[in-house]
Amino acid sequence: MIALSSIALDPASGLRRESPRPPELRNAAYDAGFDWDTLFYDCYRAGRYVVLQGPPFLNLLPALQASAPLKPRWFGGPRYVVRNKRGEIWCRHDGDMLTLSGPVGTYQLTIQPDQASLFAGRRVIHTLSKDNTPRWIRDWLQFYQAEHGADAALVYDNGSRLYSAADLQTELRAAFPAMVIHVVPWPFRYGPQGGLAGAVNGVEAPWDSDFCQTGSMAHARLRFLRDAKSVLNVDIDELVLSDKGRSIFEATEATRHGFIKFPGQWISGASPDPIDHEPCRHADFTHRALAETRECPPKWCVVPARHDPFGTTWSVHNLFGSRHNRVIDSEFSYRHMTAISNSWKENRGIAGQFDPAGYREDRALVAAFARAGLASHN
């Protein structure tokens, strides 16, 4: 299994991360979900550098800059990245251990290896997942292997309780022996929601405190995926299709800028046949509700080597810093499967009624399921 060198702030330091959100937009749920004390998610090599990576440093930055060996110097000193929900320190350091000492506290960190070679030249699907049923993850892998030629997967497990990251990795590798598959344990607080989901007294909250998923993408990019041929960022409930039958990986690699951003559309949890949520599969759901008004924020595929890791940031729906980030492709779109969810964020699942007049079958999705060898469990 992949090992992390993560550390939490020592209470004896008297420090903790201050919230970026004003008190009037915080409540007990916010306080329970905010990551007050993770200093670094991991410490690892990335090429010539050692990267100490964590949530945004915020008020902790002065204490870090006053700690050895991280004190800024004019030449050869550490480089800090503090934007777009990122907190990174890039430095040069020999040896296998790094001792951090100063106002932030004293810590011994094992420097984890650079593992970009694991995915070099691979077409990788990447996601963050928690307690998703393994059969859903298998179907997701099978779809992308068959439909788009994915030959590797990097799954970050955000503290699942139903299985361990090691057990999930073993199961997926047994099911897909031709793919390179790694499951990274990522047991950090996801962070409070923004928008209506994080509203306090009816006032929508900003998206300013959900550090975990952006952190997992930065970690994936820097430690594992720098030399990947291309990387697709999608969730377990999201299936990408092309109007022209092309692979999203091949299409992205063929672009001059190495980046494609595409929209999504919801697939209803309603079905003409009775479906139970417990055994349901992606292929059980193939209809769009004509009255659907929810929007699906875009997702993306990227060629990592064509984008500067200091100037651009991988985020859930964006490649921040890229001048191509605002361009939405019209050939590709993803199907967002309403019922393929454990409803961690909102109530999702099987729709109780199916009126044929209110739904339209997504024939392209039906055909893709057939090509991938995925069928309804009925």
Side-chain angles (χ1 to χ4, degrees), residues 122-151:
R122 297 281 180 170
R123 290 171 170 165
V124 186
I125 44 175
H126 165 265
T127 199
L128 178 76
S129 172
K130 179 175 183 178
D131 284 330
N132 279 297
T133 305
R135 70 175 178 278
W136 291 347
I137 304 176
R138 293 194 305 269
D139 284 356
W140 179 78
L141 285 168
Q142 185 170 331
F143 177 89
Y144 282 106
Q145 182 185 53
E147 188 71 5
H148 293 280
D151 58 7

Side-chain angles (χ1 to χ4, degrees), residues 274-349:
I275 301 290
D276 292 327
H277 191 259
E278 181 60 29
C280 78
R281 310 278 289 272
H282 289 71
D284 289 328
F285 308 101
T286 57
H287 287 77
R288 298 186 206 169
L290 299 179
E292 180 63 75
T293 59
R294 293 174 298 171
E295 295 184 355
C296 293
K299 289 298 180 76
W300 48 262
C301 187
V302 69
V303 177
R306 298 192 204 169
H307 298 269
D308 174 19
F310 293 108
T312 59
T313 297
W314 291 6
S315 188
V316 180
H317 304 293
N318 294 284
L319 178 60
F320 288 120
S322 169
R323 60 190 181 91
H324 304 286
N325 187 53
R326 295 193 179 192
V327 178
I328 305 297
D329 187 86
S330 61
E331 174 186 344
F332 293 92
S333 65
Y334 69 93
R335 307 308 196 256
H336 203 164
M337 315 297 293
T338 298
I340 304 302
S341 171
N342 51 32
S343 297
W344 69 275
K345 184 177 179 181
E346 59 187 341
N347 186 24
R348 287 170 50 180

Side-chain angles (χ1 to χ4, degrees), residues 12-42:
S13 71
L15 295 173
R16 74 171 189 167
R17 179 175 288 101
E18 293 179 356
S19 167
R21 190 172 296 184
E24 63 271 18
L25 291 180
R26 290 157 45 187
N27 53 20
Y30 179 94
D31 290 345
F34 185 72
D35 195 336
W36 303 97
D37 59 2
T38 299
L39 183 58
F40 298 124
Y41 295 132
D42 197 8

Side-chain angles (χ1 to χ4, degrees), residues 9-10 12-15 62-68 71 101-107:
L9 284 162
D10 184 349
S13 71
L15 295 173
L64 281 167
Q65 291 177 324
S67 297
K71 296 179 181 180
S101 181
V104 76
T106 300
Y107 309 92

